[in-house]
């Protein structure tokens, strides 16, 4: 498979995961989410779309760098990547779709841990790929605190 096709596929997978999440988010953010208590540091709704789009691009590039590389653990590294991406895709249905901050926490905490493991393990194969995952970890760290705060307040 050509590197160009690998890049396109690598960029597409996170965007698809995000699109699935958006399906559940759009309906709840205008109804249920407006009625629950949120912490004072809850960001404005408009920031989430651009932020996640950027993070999904960075994640896709990280995936591509691992995929095109020749590291002997490439298969395991990609498995880690797709495991955290699977949890990423589950978070919106859990939090917004089920209208359940506690289910959101059940998903986001192991997702956070897998992102951290990705960063650590990716470093073996590509320091750039590892670094590209750091903004994602920072955002999910913030999202975890936000998710916990919403659960606590409600």
């Amino acid at each position: 498979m050509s590197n160009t096709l690998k890049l396109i596929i690598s960029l597409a997978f996170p965007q698809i995961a995000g699109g699935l999440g958006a399906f559940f988010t759009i309906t709840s953010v205008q109804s249920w989410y407006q009625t629950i208590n949120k912490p004072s540091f809850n960001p404005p709704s408009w920031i989430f779309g651009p932020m996640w789009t950027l993070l999904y691009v960075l994640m896709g590039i990280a995936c591509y760098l691992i995929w095109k590389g020749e590291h002997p653990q490439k298969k395991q590294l990609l498995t880690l990547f797709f495991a955290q991406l699977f949890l990423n895709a589950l978070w919106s249905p859990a939090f917004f779709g089920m209208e359940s901050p506690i289910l959101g926490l059940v998903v986001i905490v192991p997702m956070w841990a897998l992102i951290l493991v990705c960063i650590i393990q990716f470093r073996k194969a590509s320091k750039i790929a590892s670094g590209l995952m750091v903004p994602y970890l920072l955002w999910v760290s913030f999202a975890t605190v936000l998710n916990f705060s919403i659960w606590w307040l409600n």
Side-chain angles (χ1 to χ4, degrees):
M1 181 181 304
S2 75
N3 280 340
T4 303
L5 187 54
K6 286 180 182 179
L7 177 62
I8 292 167
I9 293 168
S10 296
L11 290 169
F13 272 114
Q15 297 298 336
I16 291 167
L20 292 173
F23 174 78
F24 290 94
T25 304
I26 289 170
T27 55
S28 281
V29 82
Q30 298 302 326
S31 57
W32 167 75
Y33 194 70
Q34 296 298 319
T35 67
I36 62 174
N37 297 317
K38 293 177 274 312
S40 60
F41 58 87
N42 190 68
S45 296
W46 64 264
I47 196 120
F48 291 95
M51 181 61 76
W52 276 113
T53 301
L54 173 63
L55 293 172
Y56 287 137
V57 168
L58 296 177
M59 291 164 58
I61 295 168
C63 178
Y64 166 72
L65 292 172
I66 298 300
W67 192 6
K68 81 175 184 87
E70 297 300 326
H71 194 274
Q73 292 180 323
K74 174 170 54 175
K75 186 174 182 178
Q76 292 89 340
L77 296 174
L78 289 173
T79 300
L80 272 173
F81 177 84
F82 284 104
Q84 66 77 27
L85 187 61
F86 176 75
L87 290 176
N88 180 300
L90 282 182
W91 185 82
S92 286
F95 185 90
F96 288 108
M98 301 297 291
E99 298 180 356
S100 176
I102 193 69
L103 282 179
L105 281 172
V106 166
V107 174
I108 204 168
V109 170
M111 181 175 86
W112 183 93
L114 280 176
I115 297 165
L116 180 61
V117 171
C118 278
I119 290 169
I120 294 166
Q121 295 300 314
F122 279 17
R123 192 162 174 78
K124 297 175 184 177
S126 169
K127 290 179 183 173
I128 295 171
S130 176
L132 288 170
M133 296 290 284
V134 171
Y136 176 38
L137 181 68
L138 295 173
W139 183 255
V140 171
S141 297
F142 172 73
T144 302
V145 171
L146 182 61
N147 189 152
F148 176 82
S149 299
I150 290 170
W151 170 75
W152 184 261
L153 292 170
N154 291 280

